[in-house]
Amino acid sequence: MAWAELPGMAFAAFLSIITARHGRLLAALTLALAAAGPAAAQAAEEPALPFQHFLVGDPADVVPLRMSLPSLVLMGGGRSVPDAFRWMIERSGGGNFVVLRAAGNDAYNDYLYALGGLSSVETLVIPSREAASHPFVLSRVRQADALFIAGGNQGDYVRYWKDTPLDRAIHELADHNVPVAGFSAGLAILGEYAFTAERGAIRSAAAMADPFDQAITLSHDFLALPALRNVITDSHFDTRDRMGRLITFMSRLVSEGRTDTVRGIGVGSGAALLVEDGWAERVGGGPVYFLETSTAPEVLQPRLPLTHRGIRIQRLESGRFDMQRWAGKDAQLNQYSVSVVNGMLDPHDAGERSQ
């Protein structure tokens, strides 16, 4: 079939895919379009698609033999963790690896495809609720055999994706044991609770000084994925000193009565937490912290420093961690407790013990 005979939307989608991947072909395609006649000119006048799509490999739908257990990957950001991606590819059974983001480019495509074992890698840039409802986007996501939510701004993900057909499609993948991963901002939205950063970032010192600072925006039940119930996550945990702000988020959640026990996971830069059937294992170079509290803070009021004592912390060094029991098994853990007193982390309450 000639290009001029393609329906308008189909031609526009085709042109979007080709030019996104090979921008230097745009001039040649434009000349061919002009020569194709009135039907092609009409197709060119179709509204621009509300998303971007980048592809390497063969995107034909495949039915791989994948693992029968639910799996997640929590990446702290800063740098990629190849072992975590290989773990995802193995559990996907090969097939189509889909990357989601609200801004950016196809930087992951060639990198992931070069790891081997995949039919295709494609990136969808989804910068609006319109894009998050587009049939083409939903079709590609639903055919994913592994799904990776890249870094960026988690506020965009909440604004553009929450309570959309894309939101539901991601949950459908998780329900069918398709491995799902998040990196940095993508990690921040994986838990039942999330710091959305819709009013910008906040540092630990500012959060503990005023736990109701306008920058602290918390979301509930965006991506409530398996093993992350009652959990709020944070990324770049070590390099950006985020212990104080994660404790503040947890203090807010437990005081609001949403849950009796709040758990937090802080993943360091360069680290990844591999979760399969409720068991977690750390890979990469950074630390992973598991936090838990079931007590209400002593002082939690607007414009007053936070006081919250006895936050239990376990830092996973090696071995496996039981996400249901919130305890290690054959694991090396550093266990201790931390208090926030008058807006400051109390160093006298941080005596560590190993297990």
Side-chain angles (χ1 to χ4, degrees):
M1 179 182 291
W3 291 352
E5 297 172 342
L6 287 171
M9 183 57 73
F11 180 84
F14 171 79
L15 185 61
S16 172
I17 294 170
I18 295 298
T19 55
R21 181 66 185 156
H22 303 288
R24 62 178 176 270
L25 295 180
L26 180 58
L29 285 171
T30 302
L31 290 174
L33 180 63
Q42 182 179 357
E45 294 173 1
E46 292 285 348
L49 293 171
F51 60 89
Q52 291 178 279
H53 181 241
F54 306 88
L55 171 72
V56 293
D58 181 1
D61 191 22
V62 296
V63 184
L65 179 63
R66 69 168 61 95
M67 309 298 274
S68 60
L69 300 174
S71 57
L72 297 171
V73 178
L74 283 60
M75 296 192 192
R79 58 188 180 275
S80 297
V81 184
D83 287 344
F85 284 123
R86 293 188 183 99
W87 188 87
M88 283 186 73
I89 293 169
E90 179 183 350
R91 275 143 188 83
S92 76
N96 305 318
F97 195 113
V98 175
V99 179
L100 301 184
R101 56 198 323 166
N105 54 31
D106 63 343
Y108 281 103
N109 283 17
D110 290 337
Y111 167 76
L112 292 171
Y113 195 66
L115 293 177
L118 292 168
S119 299
S120 69
V121 181
E122 51 196 305
T123 294
L124 288 158
V125 181
I126 308 169
S128 68
R129 297 183 73 82
E130 178 188 7
S133 303
H134 196 281
F136 180 83
V137 169
L138 301 177
S139 172
R140 296 316 304 156
V141 170
R142 288 185 174 123
Q143 291 185 29
D145 300 300
L147 187 78
F148 174 68
I149 304 173
N153 183 343
Q154 62 257 40
D156 289 341
Y157 297 156
V158 174
R159 279 188 292 268
Y160 302 149
W161 301 357
K162 189 173 188 284
D163 298 324
T164 68
L166 174 63
D167 183 347
R168 293 189 289 275
I170 295 171
H171 281 96
E172 289 170 11
L173 292 180
D175 290 343
H176 288 87
N177 297 334
V178 171
V180 177
F183 178 94
S184 187
L187 162 63
I189 62 171
L190 293 185
E192 180 176 357
Y193 304 102
F195 168 58
T196 67
E198 292 171 274
R199 298 175 186 165
I202 189 166
R203 296 182 180 273
S204 285
M208 293 185 293
D210 181 2
F212 289 87
D213 187 293
Q214 66 175 0
I216 299 178
T217 52
L218 301 174
S219 174
H220 173 248
D221 207 16
F222 172 19
L223 295 183
L225 299 180
L228 295 180
R229 299 286 181 180
N230 288 336
V231 172
I232 183 169
T233 61
D234 210 349
S235 59
H236 302 281
F237 204 67
D238 51 341
T239 55
R240 300 186 186 178
D241 188 23
R242 288 181 165 172
M243 179 69 77
R245 81 172 199 172
L246 182 55
I247 291 174
T248 303
F249 301 158
M250 295 170 63
S251 298
R252 285 278 303 272
L253 293 170
V254 75
S255 70
E256 292 169 4
R258 297 190 184 190
T259 177
D260 294 334
T261 299
V262 177
R263 292 168 169 174
I265 300 176
V267 185
S269 297
L273 192 68
L274 313 179
V275 183
E276 184 172 48
D277 197 28
W279 289 94
E281 181 180 359
R282 180 185 68 86
V283 295
V288 176
Y289 295 84
F290 297 88
L291 289 69
E292 184 176 36
T293 183
S294 56
T295 62
E298 296 176 32
V299 179
L300 182 73
Q301 297 182 38
R303 295 179 294 280
L304 288 181
L306 173 67
T307 294
H308 195 167
R309 301 179 189 272
I311 309 298
R312 295 182 295 279
I313 298 175
Q314 302 177 79
R315 190 177 73 221
L316 180 63
E317 304 293 342
S318 63
R320 297 196 305 160
F321 191 87
D322 186 338
M323 300 282 284
Q324 183 173 358
R325 294 178 53 247
W326 214 247
K329 180 177 181 180
D330 301 324
Q332 182 182 355
L333 292 166
N334 286 329
Q335 300 186 6
Y336 54 102
S337 64
V338 163
S339 295
V340 178
V341 179
N342 198 29
M344 302 286 290
L345 282 172
D346 186 350
H348 301 293
D349 197 28
E352 298 186 14
R353 68 180 191 277
S354 296
Q355 164 179 307

